[in-house]
Amino acid sequence: MASYSLVVSGEVHEGFDKEHVKSVFRTLTGLPEARTDELFDTGKFLRQHNLSEEQAQRKRDALAQRGIVCYLEKETAGSVVADDHTVAPVVPGISSHDDTLTDPPSMYARDDAKAGEETVHADVGGMAVEQQGEGERLPFIFAGRAGEFFRIWIVNLLLTIVTLGFYYPWAKVRSNRYFYASTCLKGDSFSYLAEPLAILKGYLVALLLIGLYVFANIFNSLASGVVILLLFALLPLLLVRALRFRARNTAYRNIRFSFTGGVGDAYAAFLLWPLLTIVSFGILIPLMIYKQKAYLFNGFRYGESTFRFDTSAGPFWRLYLMLFAMFIGAGVLISALTMVLSLGGSDLQSLPMVAMVLPMILLPLVYLGLYAFLFVRQTNLVYNAVALEQHRLQSDYALGSWLGLQIGNLLGVVLSLGLLIPWAKIRTARYRAQHTHFLAAGDLDRFVAAEEKKRSALGEEIGSAFDMDIAI
Amino acid sequence: MSAVTEACNTPGRRPDSVQGCYYDGKRSRRHPARLLVHGGCVRVCNEQGGLLDSMDSVRELRISPRLGNTPRAVYFPGGGHFETPDNDGLDRLMGGGGLVHWLESRYLFVSVSVVLTALLVWWFVVQGVPALARMAAFSLPDTVLQKLGREAHALLDEQWLQPSALSTQEQQRVRHAFAPVLENFRQQGYVLQVHFRGSEDMGANAFALPSGDIVFTDDMVRLAENDDELLAILLHEIGHVTSRHGLRQVIQMSSLMVVITLVTGDVSSLSSMAVSIPIMLMQLGYSRNFEREADALALREMLADNIDPLNFVTIMQRLQQQKACGGKKSATECGRGLPDFLSTHPQTEARLKPFLSAAGN
């Protein structure tokens, strides 16, 4: 009989108050407060081994009802010895029909004292604790160098110009390969495997579509409207194609990634939700962003292993509310400052100048600051929620250093008339690697390649032309 | 088989082998390995001397082309691959690293590339884009111009313009003065129409739409001291129409975007600001060239129609004085406006020079 393990990820379902959920969870399991905090506030996991499917599902549902995110994993044969006799009835605290915890199991003390298989057996029926966080925190290492990439970039550029653009797919593959191959995790680099010819085909089709639009636009506004609507309707489909193309052509340790998100879901996330957002005057933006990110990251696979997007919409609402509050606050501050300055000005001639110039200088700065704030916070939020089986990503972008990076890049690129573009790209990639970690729950040797499926060749190639920069 | 084990069991690093890792393509495990080439046969052996993969012929293996100092892979038909950072070793064993890498590693070629690319981009932006836009603009049918003009006119009427406050007599007087010139151009195949509109935001201004609609604001008409001054302005605007400047501007803008995207690759976040600055500057440069073209036509037509070129000078100077100082102070007191490279129009002094010298003759 197959056995399952139940994993509590430390996330809280949408609409539940985290502190309340924590106290409920403490009551249910008897887990000490410090450990509960660790589970819910850092990237650690809780796992109970060796449950039957029915047991595991019942527990999952009971926990989910109380706002606790958890999921089941089928245990591979031999990883845990299944012993049906030791499988005690479900602990009352976690069963679905009894809320009161009469006798909190004290297995956590035991878990701390003992380790290994014994713990697993002793804790059957309760929530055995296995701290996945004990695994390694692996850095992504980016080894690319600006000087080296500059030579690749300039030769790419020259060949592209000389061939009137036809070399562009080759240039793109070369440049992408450089960034992938320069990114290392646990001693192995990533590979970008796309064929330039496939990309060229995609570009030709895209060019045809754009040409069609321009042609229609010139001669008939009605026809151009139809073409635009058609393109909009096709956009989610193209996005899915692009994601599949990008994922399938990315590999690590000779195991390819893939993207399995459905077309229907893509239409919901990238057409329906934006429409709803427009209808709601933008109020639904946080929910839309959440749905889109969830669609993306729930769709990726590495070999046979699936990625998950382990968070709720709550943090997105909080982030955008904070942003909105800061925007209003900055607006009030600037108007107040302008008022004070124009009142204080004795020279009547300079009065409108102050009132005009001050917001013109301050507003773009505020806009940039808020944009940076949103970008940094959202990046962290999204990547911290990405999980691959028991493994997780961790992201710690910081506002100050990221702004420094971007301003440095901007100045460098402008002052060098574009010659420092490769330098800026290398710096950006290095920053991204330095601020992302892979929290490995175990070794990385056990991922299994997926069966090679037959694929529609041209479809994905068209998608490649609409390829976006989606980092894994 | 014996040859295989023999090759694998040879101890130490021999000149015909490279160190690296082997990945079987089924699981994500890394196998530290050596790749050996022995009499045309390629073998991958693990540290214990066991055979991991092999191929009878070097030629049938796919090797990723060399790219800087990044690790490269040798792909075996069974799905496994051998990866090594030892690029020189791999080149020695399996053959060259590719032409593009050869180019990339010659500093002379890289320097030449920088100069050549810079020159080509510069040439294309300064000469190529305007020439291309001119060609495209004049090969498109008139319906395109009509459509562009109609859309722009509707937008302007909606957002910036109000009905004219000029009296009917005044409008009639100006139209009467314009009539011979307009008739002259109608015979050349240009359908031109003059409109009068009020505008608080624009002040004294006149502009031409691609469709041949030329709009004078009320303030512009009031600013003129005689109808010949207005005629000078009209001829300048007609220059924009006959040279199809509106359409050319649209085409130039989109070509520039394509060039910039090619140069920078995917543009992301704040760096897009770095990109918008040169686009804006180039756009301003094109715009100044258009003004010079329109001026040239105006001067030519004024001389042909026996209108004193000085009329253009006087109204332009009054216009500039009003723009720079709000009509309050004299031109010398309020200083110069924006530097040339930041302005849509050339410096007035430089623009007026040809008109002045023509008037002096």
Side-chain angles (χ1 to χ4, degrees):
Chain A
M1 204 179 121
S3 69
Y4 286 79
S5 62
L6 181 68
V7 179
V8 178
S9 64
E11 313 274 8
V12 174
H13 278 301
E14 192 182 327
F16 285 86
D17 175 45
K18 193 171 172 185
E19 289 310 312
H20 179 68
V21 169
K22 268 157 80 172
S23 82
V24 168
F25 189 77
R26 261 203 319 277
T27 323
L28 281 173
T29 59
L31 195 70
E33 189 166 357
R35 298 291 293 274
T36 316
D37 287 345
E38 224 169 41
L39 173 66
F40 281 91
D41 297 332
T42 65
K44 290 186 176 172
F45 283 75
L46 192 76
R47 173 187 293 266
Q48 181 176 20
H49 284 298
N50 217 10
L51 299 165
S52 76
E53 190 172 2
E54 191 203 359
Q55 275 180 328
Q57 281 172 357
R58 209 161 56 217
K59 289 192 184 201
R60 181 190 58 191
D61 294 344
L63 289 173
Q65 270 179 12
R66 294 169 175 82
I68 296 154
V69 175
C70 53
Y71 51 93
L72 301 183
E73 266 174 20
K74 200 168 179 173
E75 285 174 353
T76 47
S79 68
V80 177
V81 185
D83 186 350
D84 278 5
H85 295 291
T86 55
V87 178
V90 183
V91 156
I94 303 184
S95 70
S96 51
H97 43 76
D98 190 355
D99 266 356
T100 55
L101 191 77
T102 46
D103 186 15
S106 56
M107 62 277 196
Y108 301 103
R110 260 181 286 158
D111 180 47
D112 285 337
K114 302 177 184 179
E117 294 251 325
E118 241 189 290
T119 325
V120 174
H121 281 277
D123 296 334
V124 177
M127 293 292 297
V129 176
E130 180 186 294
Q131 294 226 326
Q132 299 289 341
E134 283 165 12
E136 280 175 283
R137 183 169 183 264
L138 302 169
F140 285 92
I141 292 166
F142 183 74
R145 289 188 323 234
E148 195 173 60
F149 181 60
F150 176 81
R151 287 182 277 145
I152 293 166
W153 177 79
I154 194 78
V155 172
N156 270 345
L157 199 54
L158 182 66
L159 292 178
T160 304
I161 293 172
V162 171
T163 57
L164 299 175
F166 277 94
Y167 185 75
Y168 186 67
W170 281 264
K172 187 180 165 172
V173 165
R174 228 173 147 67
S175 160
N176 274 355
R177 263 188 62 209
Y178 185 79
F179 280 92
Y180 278 57
S182 301
T183 309
C184 247
L185 177 66
K186 212 177 180 184
D188 293 291
S189 55
F190 289 79
S191 343
Y192 182 71
L193 303 163
E195 288 293 330
L197 269 177
I199 296 179
L200 182 65
K201 270 190 230 166
Y203 273 103
L204 291 181
V205 174
L207 213 64
L208 206 76
L209 284 179
I210 293 168
L212 193 73
Y213 166 69
V214 171
F215 193 77
N217 192 27
I218 282 170
F219 292 103
N220 190 330
S221 1
L222 186 72
S224 78
V226 171
V227 171
I228 269 276
L229 275 181
L230 215 68
L231 277 182
F232 258 107
L234 277 176
L235 224 51
L237 189 68
L238 292 170
L239 177 79
V240 174
R241 297 293 187 194
L243 285 166
R244 284 191 198 157
F245 185 84
R246 169 63 77 102
R248 196 167 50 76
N249 286 307
T250 303
Y252 172 71
R253 292 186 169 185
N254 203 8
I255 305 282
R256 285 175 188 248
F257 289 77
S258 60
F259 184 77
T260 56
V263 174
D265 292 339
Y267 271 92
F270 290 96
L271 200 64
L272 182 64
W273 276 101
L275 285 178
L276 287 177
T277 305
I278 293 170
V279 170
S280 73
F281 300 106
I283 291 169
L284 289 178
I285 285 176
L287 204 55
M288 176 188 82
I289 301 279
Y290 166 71
K291 295 281 180 190
Q292 294 179 344
K293 299 291 178 190
Y295 170 75
L296 286 181
F297 288 102
N298 283 323
F300 283 117
R301 277 164 173 257
Y302 174 56
E304 292 267 84
S305 311
T306 49
F307 278 88
R308 291 188 317 277
F309 191 59
D310 262 357
T311 188
S312 63
F316 286 86
W317 281 109
R318 276 197 289 282
L319 174 61
Y320 279 85
L321 269 178
M322 217 182 327
L323 189 76
F324 185 66
M326 285 164 77
F327 184 73
I328 297 290
V332 169
L333 246 151
I334 290 178
S335 355
L337 205 64
T338 312
M339 291 261 281
V340 168
L341 276 179
S342 44
L343 283 179
S346 54
D347 184 7
L348 276 174
Q349 286 286 347
S350 70
L351 191 139
M353 270 307 262
V354 173
M356 285 243 305
V357 168
L358 194 73
M360 264 169 59
I361 296 171
L362 282 181
L363 274 177
L365 286 181
V366 166
Y367 169 75
L368 278 183
L370 288 181
Y371 172 79
F373 169 81
L374 177 68
F375 182 87
V376 164
R377 285 297 188 90
Q378 189 165 297
T379 303
N380 287 341
L381 178 58
V382 168
Y383 284 105
N384 281 328
V386 174
L388 173 64
E389 293 192 332
Q390 315 92 307
H391 314 284
R392 297 193 73 95
L393 286 185
Q394 194 189 46
S395 164
D396 55 359
Y397 281 40
L399 187 59
S401 60
W402 190 79
L403 260 178
L405 168 86
Q406 293 297 335
I407 291 169
N409 282 354
L410 184 73
L411 289 178
V413 168
V414 170
L415 294 180
S416 69
L417 301 174
L419 279 179
L420 284 182
I421 288 172
W423 169 82
K425 287 189 171 187
I426 293 285
R427 264 163 46 102
T428 308
R430 191 182 300 129
Y431 185 91
R432 188 159 74 186
Q434 275 172 351
H435 291 267
T436 314
H437 284 81
F438 188 82
L439 303 179
D443 65 46
L444 303 182
D445 292 353
R446 297 200 188 142
F447 294 102
V448 181
E451 299 257 328
E452 189 80 3
K453 286 184 204 117
K454 279 201 171 172
R455 48 180 195 265
S456 60
L458 192 63
E460 290 182 10
E461 287 155 3
I462 297 170
S464 74
F466 299 88
D467 200 356
M468 310 179 314
D469 221 357
I470 298 154
I472 297 172
Chain B
M1 193 62 210
S2 67
V4 169
T5 29
E6 195 185 303
C8 279
N9 282 330
T10 317
R13 198 184 150 177
R14 292 164 26 139
D16 61 349
S17 77
V18 273
Q19 295 286 337
C21 291
Y22 178 78
Y23 309 87
D24 61 16
K26 296 176 186 73
R27 291 189 166 265
S28 60
R29 207 173 140 204
R30 167 177 48 192
H31 307 267
R34 264 188 319 150
L35 178 129
L36 302 99
V37 180
H38 198 81
C41 293
V42 182
R43 291 182 179 77
V44 179
C45 309
N46 64 16
E47 282 167 327
Q48 288 76 40
L51 183 69
L52 292 169
D53 214 331
S54 69
M55 184 70 206
D56 294 338
S57 156
V58 179
R59 286 169 174 275
E60 282 172 45
L61 288 174
R62 202 166 63 79
I63 307 163
S64 53
R66 189 165 178 172
L67 181 65
N69 273 321
T70 59
R72 259 189 311 163
V74 179
Y75 299 91
F76 287 87
H81 82 225
F82 173 85
E83 199 174 294
T84 179
D86 184 1
N87 280 306
D88 290 334
L90 201 62
D91 285 348
R92 201 179 57 238
L93 281 185
M94 318 276 291
L99 175 68
V100 182
H101 172 73
W102 186 85
L103 292 176
E104 284 161 3
S105 45
R106 307 288 154 228
Y107 282 94
L108 180 67
F109 185 77
V110 170
S111 321
V112 170
S113 292
V114 173
V115 176
L116 222 58
T117 307
L119 281 176
L120 281 172
V121 169
W122 178 253
W123 174 83
F124 188 68
V125 167
V126 172
Q127 304 278 328
V129 169
L132 219 70
R134 180 200 300 267
M135 245 167 55
F138 281 104
S139 60
L140 284 169
D142 283 349
T143 46
V144 179
L145 295 168
Q146 296 301 329
K147 182 168 170 293
L148 260 180
R150 265 201 314 276
E151 282 166 8
H153 203 178
L155 192 76
L156 283 165
D157 268 347
E158 208 172 284
Q159 306 228 320
W160 299 95
L161 302 175
Q162 294 94 40
S164 174
L166 295 176
S167 67
T168 327
Q169 290 98 326
E170 198 166 7
Q171 291 191 22
Q172 284 300 332
R173 196 201 74 230
V174 179
R175 279 185 201 284
H176 187 71
F178 284 177
V181 170
L182 294 179
E183 182 51 36
N184 183 12
F185 276 92
R186 200 189 314 280
Q187 278 163 14
Q188 294 175 42
Y190 296 102
V191 183
L192 303 167
Q193 198 159 8
V194 173
H195 306 266
F196 299 102
R197 292 283 186 276
S199 174
E200 285 171 18
D201 305 304
M202 290 185 183
N205 209 333
F207 50 89
L209 299 173
S211 48
D213 293 292
I214 295 169
V215 179
F216 282 76
T217 65
D218 292 352
D219 289 344
M220 190 66 180
V221 176
R222 290 185 195 118
L223 187 72
E225 282 173 357
N226 61 59
D227 289 346
D228 278 357
E229 286 185 355
L230 284 176
L231 258 177
I233 299 290
L234 177 72
L235 285 168
H236 172 88
E237 298 305 331
I238 290 176
H240 284 314
V241 175
T242 57
S243 308
R244 300 198 166 184
H245 285 158
L247 186 57
R248 280 159 68 182
Q249 191 179 359
V250 173
I251 298 171
Q252 284 171 355
M253 186 72 181
S254 23
S255 329
L256 262 192
M257 297 285 271
V258 172
V259 174
I260 297 271
T261 319
L262 267 180
V263 172
T264 57
D266 38 6
V267 180
S268 55
S269 62
L270 286 184
S271 337
S272 53
M273 280 226 335
V275 170
S276 62
I277 293 169
I279 288 192
M280 202 187 69
L281 289 180
M282 284 319 303
Q283 197 62 41
L284 291 174
Y286 295 150
S287 165
R288 290 193 299 276
N289 282 340
F290 285 165
E291 295 305 326
R292 287 188 197 104
E293 263 184 58
D295 282 355
L297 180 126
L299 180 57
R300 216 169 44 235
E301 292 294 326
M302 287 174 91
L303 292 175
D305 293 351
N306 269 329
I307 305 168
D308 187 358
L310 203 62
N311 284 306
F312 189 74
V313 177
T314 50
I315 190 153
M316 285 308 286
Q317 277 173 345
R318 218 172 303 128
L319 195 62
Q320 193 208 14
Q321 189 180 333
Q322 200 195 46
K323 283 271 149 71
C325 320
K328 284 171 193 156
K329 301 175 184 173
S330 72
T332 43
E333 268 177 77
C334 47
R336 299 167 74 87
L338 288 166
D340 195 42
F341 73 100
L342 281 178
S343 168
T344 55
H345 288 61
Q347 296 285 3
T348 309
E349 269 173 57
R351 276 181 81 176
L352 298 183
K353 225 172 236 165
F355 289 87
L356 275 171
S357 52
N361 283 342

